[in-house]
Amino acid sequence: MPAKRAAKSKPAPRGASKSKDKIRIFDTTLRDGEQSPGCAMDRFQKVQLGLQLEKLGVDIIEAGFPIASNDEFEAVRDVAKAVKKSTVAGLSRSAREDIDRCWEAVRHAKKPRIHTFIATSDIHLKYKLKMNRAELLKEVAASVRHARKLCKDVEWSAEDATRSDWDFLAESVKIAIAEGATTINLPDTVGYTVPTEFRQFWENIFEKIPAYEGVVFSAHCHNDLGLAIANSIVAVECGVRQVECTINGIGERAGNASLEEFVMALHTRRDILDFKSGVKSKEIYPTSRLLTSMTGVPVQQNKAIVGKNAFAHEAGIHQHGVISKAITYEIMTPQSVGRPSNTLVLGKHSGRAGLRQRYEQLGFKMNREAISAIYLRFIELADRKKEIYDEDLIALLQENRAGAGESYYELDALQVTSSTGTKPGSMATVHLREGEEVQTKVGKGNGPVDAVLDAINLIVGNRSRLVDFSVNSVTQGRDALAEVNLLVEFEDGAQMAGHSTSLDTVEAAAKAFVAAVNKYKLTQEMKKKAPKSRKGKKPPEGLRGV
């Protein structure tokens, strides 16, 4: 077990001044976040989300793991080319070919970064790396040295840092800095550490390691015990000046520290957290919704900041208080994080100019081509729906963006008949388009959704089962837009999420299922393209990371 000893005295602040220190926001939604089951994104979606993250104001965007596959490499490269203001990082293991591949992908960025890592805990040394400590120190030196020859901005991470021996970890950090690392990330990889322990951890590190000029320390906290945000806050109080997080807190297992929660904690509690970030808080909600539309993974209703109930008040005493003065029960305003209100703004007689203006009021900059692409869908919805709300507009935009990437299948039409007291209870005829070809099959099931999914499976030739299925009303009323999120498990055990919206719940379910099928096919192609390991050598670590 790690040799855990509390520091004798509180460390001096890292950097020139602790007052109003800026915290760099390192967003790893496109890398660690995408490792969540069902959260795979295609290249187009990664670029779109990368551009939104830049608009959000994050300092560093970790675009992916270039060595994982050719498609992943191309996605990181495309993000690097598209993003102009934020630093774009790629993750790399310590192997030379991993680092080279990473550099080939990120070198196109205005501000590229190589992020290389290796585990330092005795647990990983013994069971995964099969190395002793001396061998690991040599690997740290060689990997950072090689990365620095390629790129002036190098981040080094000690995977499973919080379960490492603290003296040995400090020795590893000193070597990484000596070889040119400009950012040192010490992650709580398995979300094991509690805040009091994390404070001792950082105080001990800063006591042992001098405050090198130009070197930033970073915290990357996982949420296995629900403590990722608390640990991240403790880290910055100790002197850490970069925090790694994800939109909606997605990521491995229980996820990462949630960007929106951390940023709004700094924003709301400035009285005791005297720090700032460059994140534009009004872009938080649009970014959250865009990610949800791409992954099909919904945000829990009571999720802080971006959940449906985050600003909802049902209890009478709460409603009375909010009506009298919002601050009685709201510590921040919905508008401060970019949440729209349920205000009726548009109808079927609205033109493109009015639609474009309203999108801009919601925080979405739209050119003429983008408005034209969505306008016909808007008119179609307005013809069927008496009231158009801001949430409807956002749902339309997300559906349009999510569907703009490369798709294998597209729902062309469907017809459903359903009855009670018979077996099967429902039958569905589904017309599915693949390129220029339209295939038609009849499915059977216990209900209309079950029958539709059966027909789609017959067309695509998959055997899959529905693991999770949820329907939410985007707005109120009988003609509310239905939002369907589902999780599909395929015959090889892979799970993919799907998301779609429609006035017809069955149609939304069909589109969401097709989205999950397309993700699965994309993932299968990526696996086929994945490069093989070095001959005669095992890869130093799995393709997961910090």
Side-chain angles (χ1 to χ4, degrees), residues 262-277:
F262 178 76
V263 167
M264 292 311 293
L266 298 189
H267 180 79
T268 305
R269 296 308 312 273
R270 288 174 179 168
D271 54 331
I272 60 171
L273 298 174
D274 199 14
F275 311 104
K276 61 181 179 180
S277 78

Side-chain angles (χ1 to χ4, degrees), residues 41 55 90 125 145 147 162 247 266 268 300 338 344 357 372 379 381 387 390 399 416 422 462 467 479 513:
M41 288 175 266
K55 185 178 179 183
L125 284 170
R145 187 186 312 126
T162 54
I247 302 298
L266 298 189
T268 305
Q300 66 190 64
L344 178 64
Q357 181 184 41
S372 295
I379 292 299
L381 179 63
E387 299 179 344
D390 289 345
E399 187 173 275
V416 178
T422 61
N462 284 327
V467 176
D479 57 355
F513 191 77

Side-chain angles (χ1 to χ4, degrees), residues 1-5 118-125 133 136 156-170 172-173 186-190 192-193 197 201 204-205:
M1 291 300 292
K4 298 181 179 179
R5 300 185 297 276
I118 193 168
T120 54
S121 70
D122 290 331
I123 297 170
H124 281 248
L125 284 170
R133 290 185 176 184
L136 183 120
W156 178 76
S157 288
E159 186 180 14
D160 206 26
T162 54
R163 293 194 298 172
S164 301
D165 177 86
W166 291 2
D167 292 332
F168 176 65
L169 177 63
S172 304
V173 170
L186 302 181
D188 185 26
T189 302
V190 293
Y192 179 72
T193 310
E197 184 182 25
F201 170 84
N204 185 275
I205 287 294

Side-chain angles (χ1 to χ4, degrees), residues 9-28:
S9 60
K10 197 169 183 177
R14 314 291 287 189
S17 171
K18 196 167 186 178
S19 178
K20 291 298 181 184
D21 272 352
K22 180 184 176 182
I23 307 301
R24 300 182 185 184
I25 302 299
F26 179 109
D27 185 276
T28 183

Side-chain angles (χ1 to χ4, degrees), residues 293-366:
S293 74
M294 288 179 172
T295 63
V297 177
V299 174
Q300 66 190 64
Q301 292 196 6
N302 65 331
K303 169 76 166 64
I305 316 299
V306 294
K308 186 176 181 180
N309 294 344
F311 295 92
H313 306 277
E314 184 172 344
I317 191 170
H318 283 223
Q319 291 176 347
H320 176 72
V322 170
I323 292 170
S324 301
K325 191 70 173 177
I327 198 172
T328 54
Y329 288 103
E330 287 186 352
I331 61 174
M332 67 194 85
T333 66
Q335 292 77 17
S336 69
V337 295
R339 294 183 67 108
S341 60
N342 286 340
T343 304
L344 178 64
V345 291
L346 294 171
K348 64 181 180 180
H349 300 296
S350 300
R352 286 176 172 83
L355 181 62
R356 180 177 180 178
Q357 181 184 41
R358 187 58 193 145
Y359 271 124
E360 290 184 353
Q361 289 172 352
L362 293 173
F364 298 98
K365 296 294 183 182
M366 306 280 283

Side-chain angles (χ1 to χ4, degrees), residues 474-519:
V474 175
T475 51
Q476 66 267 36
R478 293 179 61 186
D479 57 355
L481 204 60
E483 180 182 59
V484 170
N485 294 285
L486 49 76
L487 187 65
V488 182
E489 183 174 270
F490 294 87
E491 52 191 329
D492 61 356
Q495 292 187 349
M496 294 293 162
H499 164 93
S500 190
T501 55
S502 174
L503 284 173
D504 187 313
T505 303
V506 177
E507 181 184 32
K511 289 181 177 179
F513 191 77
V514 170
V517 169
N518 286 335
K519 280 187 185 180

Side-chain angles (χ1 to χ4, degrees), residues 405-416:
E406 296 178 8
S407 293
Y408 295 93
Y409 296 105
E410 181 182 356
L411 184 67
D412 194 64
L414 62 85
Q415 298 87 35
V416 178

